[in-house]
Amino acid sequence: FTDPLRSQDDFIKAFKASHRIADDLSERTGARVFPYSLFFVFFDQYAHIVAITQEVLGLGLAAVLFVTAFLLGSWRTGTIVTIVVALTVTNVMGVMSIWGISLNALSLVNLIISLGIAVEFCAHVARAFMTSGSGLPLDHPAGQRERDERMWTALVDVGPSVCTSLLYNDMLVHPS
């Protein structure tokens, strides 16, 4: 029996308390005790969502690192793309916290989608950087100037289309 449950937080607390009581009874009696209620089916995800989020996003970032490093031909560039993607997902999680959006299956899907969108845009700019110029080493007398020119070329060639795609995607999500 529980008090009347009105909010999502009440349901989650009742789910956790029921499992805590069932585990205690199982330990005391030696019999397997399993709590059941109709709403437990929907709130079972909250018992595992943090671990699942860490696993899925960790595997996603590892895949980003290996695929971008392999396709771009540079572990350094792959690492930079992965860090930028991780920072983007961290920003999305911060905004979720500010807006009061709880972590659940639906918000986890949105985090994974934000990871994919961040990879798409970062990889385009990184590829444009890697394919422009001669790739002089930094210790070469003209190396830093050449790297700055490659960065400028990548942002001028690919930057506008990436920004346009971001604006277009934003208009699809938030039509006015």
Side-chain angles (χ1 to χ4, degrees):
F1 294 101
T2 64
D3 293 338
L5 306 174
R6 293 184 175 87
S7 69
Q8 182 174 349
D9 191 47
D10 291 341
F11 282 101
I12 294 169
K13 287 178 182 176
F15 175 80
K16 288 180 181 178
S18 298
H19 277 277
R20 181 183 46 79
I21 292 167
D23 291 342
D24 185 50
L25 286 173
S26 294
E27 185 179 309
R28 288 181 185 195
T29 63
R32 183 171 180 223
V33 178
F34 184 81
Y36 176 76
S37 179
L38 289 175
F39 71 87
F40 284 0
V41 175
F42 304 105
F43 290 93
D44 185 51
Q45 67 176 314
Y46 293 101
H48 313 286
I49 194 70
V50 173
I52 291 170
T53 301
Q54 291 171 342
E55 180 181 352
V56 168
L57 292 178
L59 289 172
L61 289 172
V64 168
L65 174 64
F66 290 114
V67 170
T68 54
F70 175 73
L71 293 177
L72 295 174
S74 168
W75 282 101
R76 184 176 182 185
T77 305
T79 302
I80 291 170
V81 169
T82 304
I83 289 170
V84 171
V85 169
L87 290 173
T88 303
V89 173
T90 303
N91 284 335
V92 171
M93 291 190 319
V95 170
M96 284 173 50
S97 174
I98 290 170
W99 287 350
I101 300 171
S102 63
L103 182 62
N104 55 33
L106 185 60
S107 59
L108 177 57
V109 168
N110 286 315
L111 284 173
I112 296 166
I113 290 170
S114 71
L115 184 142
I117 291 172
V119 169
E120 178 183 359
F121 295 127
C122 293
H124 284 302
V125 174
R127 183 182 177 281
F129 174 80
M130 293 299 292
T131 58
S132 65
S134 62
L136 293 173
L138 191 58
D139 58 352
H140 188 274
Q144 182 60 45
R145 187 182 74 234
E146 197 265 348
R147 183 170 287 168
D148 291 344
E149 290 170 0
R150 289 170 60 198
M151 179 266 314
W152 176 260
T153 303
L155 289 177
V156 167
D157 291 347
V158 179
S161 63
V162 168
C163 288
T164 303
S165 296
L166 284 171
L167 291 174
Y168 179 72
N169 286 336
D170 186 49
M171 287 187 329
L172 290 177
V173 173
H174 305 289
S176 43

mmCIF file of all heavy atoms in Angstrom, residues 46 49 53 57 88-114:
data_model
loop_
_atom_site.group_PDB
_atom_site.id
_atom_site.type_symbol
_atom_site.label_atom_id
_atom_site.label_comp_id
_atom_site.label_asym_id
_atom_site.label_seq_id
_atom_site.Cartn_x
_atom_site.Cartn_y
_atom_site.Cartn_z
ATOM 1 N N TYR A 46 13.869 3.765 -14.550
ATOM 2 C CA TYR A 46 14.596 4.717 -13.711
ATOM 3 C C TYR A 46 15.612 4.041 -12.800
ATOM 4 O O TYR A 46 16.509 4.694 -12.287
ATOM 5 C CB TYR A 46 13.622 5.567 -12.891
ATOM 6 C CG TYR A 46 12.813 6.484 -13.768
ATOM 7 C CD1 TYR A 46 11.501 6.178 -14.108
ATOM 8 C CD2 TYR A 46 13.379 7.637 -14.283
ATOM 9 C CE1 TYR A 46 10.769 7.012 -14.930
ATOM 10 C CE2 TYR A 46 12.656 8.475 -15.108
ATOM 11 C CZ TYR A 46 11.345 8.157 -15.424
ATOM 12 O OH TYR A 46 10.630 8.971 -16.245
ATOM 13 N N ILE A 49 18.559 3.759 -15.691
ATOM 14 C CA ILE A 49 18.729 4.730 -16.774
ATOM 15 C C ILE A 49 20.095 5.410 -16.753
ATOM 16 O O ILE A 49 20.671 5.681 -17.822
ATOM 17 C CB ILE A 49 17.581 5.771 -16.768
ATOM 18 C CG1 ILE A 49 17.560 6.562 -18.080
ATOM 19 C CG2 ILE A 49 17.691 6.710 -15.590
ATOM 20 C CD1 ILE A 49 17.128 5.758 -19.257
ATOM 21 N N THR A 53 22.602 5.188 -19.842
ATOM 22 C CA THR A 53 23.030 6.434 -20.489
ATOM 23 C C THR A 53 24.546 6.492 -20.598
ATOM 24 O O THR A 53 25.091 6.822 -21.662
ATOM 25 C CB THR A 53 22.507 7.649 -19.704
ATOM 26 O OG1 THR A 53 21.083 7.583 -19.642
ATOM 27 C CG2 THR A 53 22.938 8.947 -20.357
ATOM 28 N N LEU A 57 26.199 6.427 -24.357
ATOM 29 C CA LEU A 57 26.965 7.598 -24.783
ATOM 30 C C LEU A 57 28.459 7.304 -24.832
ATOM 31 O O LEU A 57 29.170 7.798 -25.710
ATOM 32 C CB LEU A 57 26.669 8.787 -23.873
ATOM 33 C CG LEU A 57 25.249 9.365 -23.976
ATOM 34 C CD1 LEU A 57 25.065 10.510 -22.997
ATOM 35 C CD2 LEU A 57 24.928 9.803 -25.390
ATOM 36 N N THR A 88 29.237 18.985 -26.790
ATOM 37 C CA THR A 88 27.888 19.283 -27.280
ATOM 38 C C THR A 88 26.848 18.495 -26.498
ATOM 39 O O THR A 88 25.828 19.048 -26.069
ATOM 40 C CB THR A 88 27.792 18.962 -28.784
ATOM 41 O OG1 THR A 88 28.775 19.706 -29.493
ATOM 42 C CG2 THR A 88 26.412 19.279 -29.321
ATOM 43 N N VAL A 89 27.095 17.204 -26.302
ATOM 44 C CA VAL A 89 26.156 16.380 -25.536
ATOM 45 C C VAL A 89 26.084 16.865 -24.085
ATOM 46 O O VAL A 89 24.999 16.899 -23.488
ATOM 47 C CB VAL A 89 26.553 14.890 -25.621
ATOM 48 C CG1 VAL A 89 25.702 14.039 -24.697
ATOM 49 C CG2 VAL A 89 26.423 14.391 -27.054
ATOM 50 N N THR A 90 27.211 17.273 -23.519
ATOM 51 C CA THR A 90 27.220 17.810 -22.157
ATOM 52 C C THR A 90 26.389 19.085 -22.076
ATOM 53 O O THR A 90 25.639 19.289 -21.100
ATOM 54 C CB THR A 90 28.666 18.095 -21.700
ATOM 55 O OG1 THR A 90 29.422 16.888 -21.801
ATOM 56 C CG2 THR A 90 28.710 18.610 -20.283
ATOM 57 N N ASN A 91 26.485 19.944 -23.085
ATOM 58 C CA ASN A 91 25.663 21.156 -23.126
ATOM 59 C C ASN A 91 24.184 20.821 -23.191
ATOM 60 O O ASN A 91 23.355 21.464 -22.532
ATOM 61 C CB ASN A 91 26.052 22.043 -24.310
ATOM 62 C CG ASN A 91 27.334 22.795 -24.067
ATOM 63 O OD1 ASN A 91 27.709 23.046 -22.933
ATOM 64 N ND2 ASN A 91 28.014 23.152 -25.140
ATOM 65 N N VAL A 92 23.831 19.833 -24.003
ATOM 66 C CA VAL A 92 22.425 19.425 -24.109
ATOM 67 C C VAL A 92 21.933 18.905 -22.760
ATOM 68 O O VAL A 92 20.814 19.225 -22.327
ATOM 69 C CB VAL A 92 22.243 18.370 -25.226
ATOM 70 C CG1 VAL A 92 20.837 17.787 -25.203
ATOM 71 C CG2 VAL A 92 22.523 18.982 -26.590
ATOM 72 N N MET A 93 22.759 18.113 -22.063
ATOM 73 C CA MET A 93 22.364 17.614 -20.745
ATOM 74 C C MET A 93 22.217 18.767 -19.749
ATOM 75 O O MET A 93 21.316 18.755 -18.909
ATOM 76 C CB MET A 93 23.376 16.584 -20.237
ATOM 77 C CG MET A 93 23.334 15.305 -21.032
ATOM 78 S SD MET A 93 24.268 13.901 -20.405
ATOM 79 C CE MET A 93 25.772 14.559 -19.831
ATOM 80 N N GLY A 94 23.069 19.778 -19.847
ATOM 81 C CA GLY A 94 22.949 20.943 -18.971
ATOM 82 C C GLY A 94 21.665 21.717 -19.218
ATOM 83 O O GLY A 94 20.993 22.138 -18.266
ATOM 84 N N VAL A 95 21.306 21.885 -20.487
ATOM 85 C CA VAL A 95 20.058 22.576 -20.813
ATOM 86 C C VAL A 95 18.862 21.755 -20.336
ATOM 87 O O VAL A 95 17.869 22.304 -19.846
ATOM 88 C CB VAL A 95 19.981 22.874 -22.329
ATOM 89 C CG1 VAL A 95 18.610 23.366 -22.730
ATOM 90 C CG2 VAL A 95 21.034 23.896 -22.711
ATOM 91 N N MET A 96 18.955 20.422 -20.461
ATOM 92 C CA MET A 96 17.887 19.559 -19.941
ATOM 93 C C MET A 96 17.705 19.798 -18.441
ATOM 94 O O MET A 96 16.572 19.870 -17.959
ATOM 95 C CB MET A 96 18.219 18.082 -20.187
ATOM 96 C CG MET A 96 18.032 17.615 -21.601
ATOM 97 S SD MET A 96 18.617 15.930 -21.876
ATOM 98 C CE MET A 96 17.847 15.014 -20.570
ATOM 99 N N SER A 97 18.795 19.923 -17.729
ATOM 100 C CA SER A 97 18.729 20.156 -16.281
ATOM 101 C C SER A 97 18.105 21.517 -15.981
ATOM 102 O O SER A 97 17.259 21.635 -15.089
ATOM 103 C CB SER A 97 20.126 20.069 -15.681
ATOM 104 O OG SER A 97 20.112 20.412 -14.337
ATOM 105 N N ILE A 98 18.518 22.541 -16.703
ATOM 106 C CA ILE A 98 17.979 23.889 -16.485
ATOM 107 C C ILE A 98 16.483 23.917 -16.764
ATOM 108 O O ILE A 98 15.707 24.537 -16.037
ATOM 109 C CB ILE A 98 18.722 24.917 -17.367
ATOM 110 C CG1 ILE A 98 20.149 25.089 -16.860
ATOM 111 C CG2 ILE A 98 17.987 26.250 -17.396
ATOM 112 C CD1 ILE A 98 21.037 25.884 -17.791
ATOM 113 N N TRP A 99 16.043 23.238 -17.822
ATOM 114 C CA TRP A 99 14.633 23.223 -18.198
ATOM 115 C C TRP A 99 13.810 22.229 -17.383
ATOM 116 O O TRP A 99 12.610 22.119 -17.573
ATOM 117 C CB TRP A 99 14.481 22.912 -19.676
ATOM 118 C CG TRP A 99 14.876 24.040 -20.577
ATOM 119 C CD1 TRP A 99 15.169 25.325 -20.233
ATOM 120 C CD2 TRP A 99 15.010 23.981 -21.991
ATOM 121 N NE1 TRP A 99 15.484 26.055 -21.348
ATOM 122 C CE2 TRP A 99 15.386 25.262 -22.444
ATOM 123 C CE3 TRP A 99 14.845 22.976 -22.921
ATOM 124 C CZ2 TRP A 99 15.601 25.553 -23.773
ATOM 125 C CZ3 TRP A 99 15.062 23.268 -24.251
ATOM 126 C CH2 TRP A 99 15.436 24.545 -24.671
ATOM 127 N N GLY A 100 14.465 21.450 -16.515
ATOM 128 C CA GLY A 100 13.737 20.503 -15.672
ATOM 129 C C GLY A 100 13.318 19.236 -16.396
ATOM 130 O O GLY A 100 12.355 18.588 -15.990
ATOM 131 N N ILE A 101 14.030 18.875 -17.445
ATOM 132 C CA ILE A 101 13.725 17.649 -18.191
ATOM 133 C C ILE A 101 14.464 16.503 -17.522
ATOM 134 O O ILE A 101 15.688 16.516 -17.418
ATOM 135 C CB ILE A 101 14.141 17.777 -19.667
ATOM 136 C CG1 ILE A 101 13.393 18.920 -20.331
ATOM 137 C CG2 ILE A 101 13.917 16.472 -20.407
ATOM 138 C CD1 ILE A 101 13.883 19.266 -21.721
ATOM 139 N N SER A 102 13.726 15.500 -17.062
ATOM 140 C CA SER A 102 14.357 14.379 -16.375
ATOM 141 C C SER A 102 14.931 13.395 -17.382
ATOM 142 O O SER A 102 14.505 13.335 -18.539
ATOM 143 C CB SER A 102 13.355 13.666 -15.466
ATOM 144 O OG SER A 102 12.317 13.106 -16.240
ATOM 145 N N LEU A 103 15.901 12.628 -16.915
ATOM 146 C CA LEU A 103 16.522 11.611 -17.764
ATOM 147 C C LEU A 103 15.613 10.387 -17.789
ATOM 148 O O LEU A 103 15.348 9.770 -16.760
ATOM 149 C CB LEU A 103 17.903 11.247 -17.225
ATOM 150 C CG LEU A 103 18.691 10.229 -18.030
ATOM 151 C CD1 LEU A 103 18.979 10.753 -19.433
ATOM 152 C CD2 LEU A 103 19.992 9.891 -17.319
ATOM 153 N N ASN A 104 15.097 10.058 -18.960
ATOM 154 C CA ASN A 104 14.289 8.862 -19.160
ATOM 155 C C ASN A 104 14.583 8.319 -20.551
ATOM 156 O O ASN A 104 15.504 8.807 -21.223
ATOM 157 C CB ASN A 104 12.794 9.167 -18.965
ATOM 158 C CG ASN A 104 12.307 10.289 -19.848
ATOM 159 O OD1 ASN A 104 12.774 10.479 -20.959
ATOM 160 N ND2 ASN A 104 11.362 11.058 -19.341
ATOM 161 N N ALA A 105 13.848 7.327 -20.979
ATOM 162 C CA ALA A 105 14.134 6.701 -22.271
ATOM 163 C C ALA A 105 14.007 7.700 -23.425
ATOM 164 O O ALA A 105 14.827 7.699 -24.349
ATOM 165 C CB ALA A 105 13.211 5.501 -22.493
ATOM 166 N N LEU A 106 13.017 8.543 -23.376
ATOM 167 C CA LEU A 106 12.808 9.509 -24.455
ATOM 168 C C LEU A 106 13.916 10.559 -24.491
ATOM 169 O O LEU A 106 14.441 10.883 -25.561
ATOM 170 C CB LEU A 106 11.445 10.180 -24.293
ATOM 171 C CG LEU A 106 11.029 11.134 -25.399
ATOM 172 C CD1 LEU A 106 10.952 10.407 -26.732
ATOM 173 C CD2 LEU A 106 9.705 11.768 -25.070
ATOM 174 N N SER A 107 14.295 11.085 -23.342
ATOM 175 C CA SER A 107 15.373 12.077 -23.334
ATOM 176 C C SER A 107 16.712 11.436 -23.684
ATOM 177 O O SER A 107 17.577 12.092 -24.278
ATOM 178 C CB SER A 107 15.442 12.789 -21.985
ATOM 179 O OG SER A 107 15.669 11.879 -20.939
ATOM 180 N N LEU A 108 16.896 10.156 -23.365
ATOM 181 C CA LEU A 108 18.115 9.456 -23.773
ATOM 182 C C LEU A 108 18.193 9.343 -25.292
ATOM 183 O O LEU A 108 19.252 9.539 -25.884
ATOM 184 C CB LEU A 108 18.178 8.065 -23.131
ATOM 185 C CG LEU A 108 19.366 7.200 -23.537
ATOM 186 C CD1 LEU A 108 20.693 7.887 -23.236
ATOM 187 C CD2 LEU A 108 19.288 5.846 -22.846
ATOM 188 N N VAL A 109 17.067 9.066 -25.930
ATOM 189 C CA VAL A 109 17.042 9.018 -27.398
ATOM 190 C C VAL A 109 17.429 10.373 -27.967
ATOM 191 O O VAL A 109 18.201 10.471 -28.931
ATOM 192 C CB VAL A 109 15.651 8.570 -27.910
ATOM 193 C CG1 VAL A 109 15.507 8.786 -29.402
ATOM 194 C CG2 VAL A 109 15.401 7.116 -27.557
ATOM 195 N N ASN A 110 16.943 11.442 -27.371
ATOM 196 C CA ASN A 110 17.294 12.784 -27.839
ATOM 197 C C ASN A 110 18.769 13.090 -27.624
ATOM 198 O O ASN A 110 19.392 13.773 -28.439
ATOM 199 C CB ASN A 110 16.409 13.828 -27.175
ATOM 200 C CG ASN A 110 15.016 13.813 -27.742
ATOM 201 O OD1 ASN A 110 14.827 13.756 -28.950
ATOM 202 N ND2 ASN A 110 14.034 13.828 -26.864
ATOM 203 N N LEU A 111 19.363 12.596 -26.546
ATOM 204 C CA LEU A 111 20.803 12.769 -26.337
ATOM 205 C C LEU A 111 21.600 12.045 -27.415
ATOM 206 O O LEU A 111 22.600 12.558 -27.919
ATOM 207 C CB LEU A 111 21.209 12.259 -24.953
ATOM 208 C CG LEU A 111 20.853 13.144 -23.772
ATOM 209 C CD1 LEU A 111 21.149 12.432 -22.468
ATOM 210 C CD2 LEU A 111 21.605 14.452 -23.856
ATOM 211 N N ILE A 112 21.159 10.846 -27.773
ATOM 212 C CA ILE A 112 21.845 10.091 -28.822
ATOM 213 C C ILE A 112 21.712 10.802 -30.164
ATOM 214 O O ILE A 112 22.666 10.874 -30.942
ATOM 215 C CB ILE A 112 21.303 8.652 -28.885
ATOM 216 C CG1 ILE A 112 21.617 7.916 -27.591
ATOM 217 C CG2 ILE A 112 21.862 7.902 -30.082
ATOM 218 C CD1 ILE A 112 20.850 6.631 -27.400
ATOM 219 N N ILE A 113 20.538 11.359 -30.424
ATOM 220 C CA ILE A 113 20.346 12.117 -31.663
ATOM 221 C C ILE A 113 21.244 13.351 -31.676
ATOM 222 O O ILE A 113 21.843 13.684 -32.705
ATOM 223 C CB ILE A 113 18.863 12.503 -31.830
ATOM 224 C CG1 ILE A 113 18.038 11.245 -32.137
ATOM 225 C CG2 ILE A 113 18.676 13.544 -32.918
ATOM 226 C CD1 ILE A 113 16.545 11.470 -32.092
ATOM 227 N N SER A 114 21.373 14.034 -30.537
ATOM 228 C CA SER A 114 22.257 15.207 -30.492
ATOM 229 C C SER A 114 23.706 14.801 -30.726
ATOM 230 O O SER A 114 24.457 15.534 -31.372
ATOM 231 C CB SER A 114 22.110 15.950 -29.161
ATOM 232 O OG SER A 114 22.662 15.213 -28.099
#
